């Protein structure tokens, strides 16, 4: 139980933070408001700046979120996805979340030069293009654009967009066996803010992935993830020769990756 004043010798902001974290864990639900700064100031006998520091820490951790002009609320839990050659849906289900996808655009289009180069095709080669809004437990998580050469799977979209593009490729004898992914941080565009229903943050994580079957590139995908609801889990192991993709100015991987020896500059 937290006393009305921070214990002697304890950093005051940590006491406030611990109290709020306990409220979230034991009494409050997603969307509930937390106590006001004024009430916390009176409860702990600290300054408003100290209270704000504690709240800021929990906002940064994704436990709380601010709504301008309304207050501070319990944030939806972040989806913590491991870096694996799996689909969004597979990773969501592994963590007990219900995945969803709204198809925003789907069809065939000539490949722009960066996309064509990444997939080892001439510019203008016909490609299947799919743009989807991905959700977890009904919450918008990412916008995902995928490009697949039409010559690999001419009938891919004949019956609509498959639930899993990887599974659809496997069904046609095209097994995704490995990939390379580039991750960058950025601000969302106005269209992305609207589609992802982002109101309290503009931070997004952008990924560009090339998926291969053996030596042949099968798919180029680009995704934009909400920075406040998505985190990446990366298991580490002993250093070994690393694949380093060559990237073009748009951020898409291009050409074949090269190997660099351990200890070389990266």
């Amino acid at each position: 139980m937290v006393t009305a004043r921070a214990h002697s010798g304890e950093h005051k902001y940590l006491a406030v933070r611990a109290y709020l974290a306990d409220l979230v864990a034991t009494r409050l639900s997603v969307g509930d408001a937390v106590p006001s700064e004024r009430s916390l100031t009176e409860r702990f006998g600290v300054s408003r700046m100290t209270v704000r520091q504690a709240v800021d820490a929990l906002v940064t951790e994704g436990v709380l979120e601010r709504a301008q002009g309304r207050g501070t609320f319990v944030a939806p839990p972040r989806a913590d996805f491991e870096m694996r050659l799996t689909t969004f849906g597979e990773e969501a289900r592994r963590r007990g979340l219900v995945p969803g996808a709204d198809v925003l655009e789907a069809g065939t289009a000539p490949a722009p030069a960066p996309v064509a180069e990444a997939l080892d095709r001439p510019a203008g080669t016909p490609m299947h293009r799919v743009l989807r809004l991905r959700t977890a437990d009904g919450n918008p998580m990412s916008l995902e654009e995928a490009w697949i050469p039409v010559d690999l799977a001419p009938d891919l979209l004949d019956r609509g967009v498959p639930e899993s593009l990887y599974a659809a490729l496997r069904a046609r004898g095209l097994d995704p066996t490995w990939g390379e992914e580039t991750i960058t941080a950025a601000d969302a565009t106005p269209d992305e803010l609207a589609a992802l229903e982002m109101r309290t943050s503009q931070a997004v994580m952008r990924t560009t992935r090339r998926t291969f079957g053996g030596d042949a590139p099968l798919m180029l995908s680009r995704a934009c993830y909400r920075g406040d609801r998505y985190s990446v889990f990366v298991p580490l192991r002993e250093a070994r020769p690393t694949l380093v993709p060559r990237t073009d100015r748009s951020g898409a991987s291009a050409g074949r990756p090269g190997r660099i020896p351990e200890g070389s500059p990266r």
Side-chain angles (χ1 to χ4, degrees):
M1 180 177 179
V2 179
T3 59
R5 290 184 177 272
H7 297 296
S8 175
E10 183 182 9
H11 199 305
K12 294 180 179 181
Y13 111 85
L14 291 177
V16 180
R17 179 190 174 282
Y19 172 72
L20 291 173
D22 181 68
L23 277 182
V24 172
T26 62
R27 302 186 198 176
L28 301 179
S29 301
V30 172
D32 286 349
V34 299
S36 67
E37 289 184 0
R38 179 177 178 179
S39 66
L40 291 171
T41 296
E42 295 173 352
R43 180 183 183 91
F44 286 90
V46 297
S47 68
R48 181 161 290 191
M49 182 178 297
T50 298
V51 169
R52 193 163 297 162
Q53 184 182 8
V55 173
D56 285 346
L58 293 174
V59 169
T60 300
E61 294 171 21
V63 176
L64 302 177
E65 62 181 6
R66 286 192 174 93
Q68 189 171 3
R70 295 178 54 229
T72 305
F73 303 86
V74 179
R78 290 184 182 223
D80 181 14
F81 290 157
E82 184 176 347
M83 296 298 292
R84 297 155 48 95
L85 190 61
T86 56
T87 66
F88 177 92
E90 290 168 340
E91 282 299 309
R93 281 188 285 268
R94 286 181 67 244
R95 280 155 177 75
L97 303 172
V98 179
D102 296 331
V103 177
L104 305 180
E105 299 177 20
T108 302
V115 172
E117 184 179 3
L119 293 173
D120 285 350
R121 298 294 197 281
T125 297
M127 299 273 179
H128 297 301
R129 176 182 175 272
V130 176
L131 179 64
R132 293 177 291 184
L133 174 66
R134 308 308 302 262
T135 63
D137 285 349
N139 297 310
M141 298 292 291
S142 73
L143 286 171
E144 180 186 82
E145 179 187 50
W147 296 81
I148 299 172
V150 169
D151 60 77
L152 292 180
D155 63 341
L156 183 68
L157 304 181
D158 284 359
R159 296 185 179 180
V161 177
E163 179 180 353
S164 168
L165 293 176
Y166 276 12
L169 291 174
R170 291 189 187 103
R172 291 161 174 79
L174 303 168
D175 291 334
T177 54
W178 68 283
E180 58 187 28
E181 188 157 88
T182 302
I183 302 175
T184 57
D187 286 337
T189 67
D191 287 344
E192 290 166 344
L193 288 172
L196 295 173
E197 299 178 10
M198 296 174 65
R199 301 183 181 89
T200 61
S201 171
Q202 293 187 348
V204 295
M205 182 174 67
R206 300 191 189 281
T207 66
T208 299
R209 175 187 290 191
R210 279 204 306 171
T211 300
F212 291 79
D215 291 332
L218 304 178
M219 182 193 306
L220 175 70
S221 58
R222 297 166 173 165
C224 168
Y225 294 90
R226 289 187 60 146
D228 60 344
R229 292 189 183 173
Y230 187 92
S231 59
V232 177
F233 169 65
V234 182
L236 302 176
R237 60 185 179 186
E238 184 182 5
R240 61 184 63 189
T242 306
L243 289 172
V244 178
R246 176 167 58 87
T247 58
D248 61 27
R249 292 183 180 178
S250 71
S253 300
R256 295 190 181 281
R259 288 189 178 272
I260 60 175
E262 295 180 21
S264 297
R266 285 167 168 78

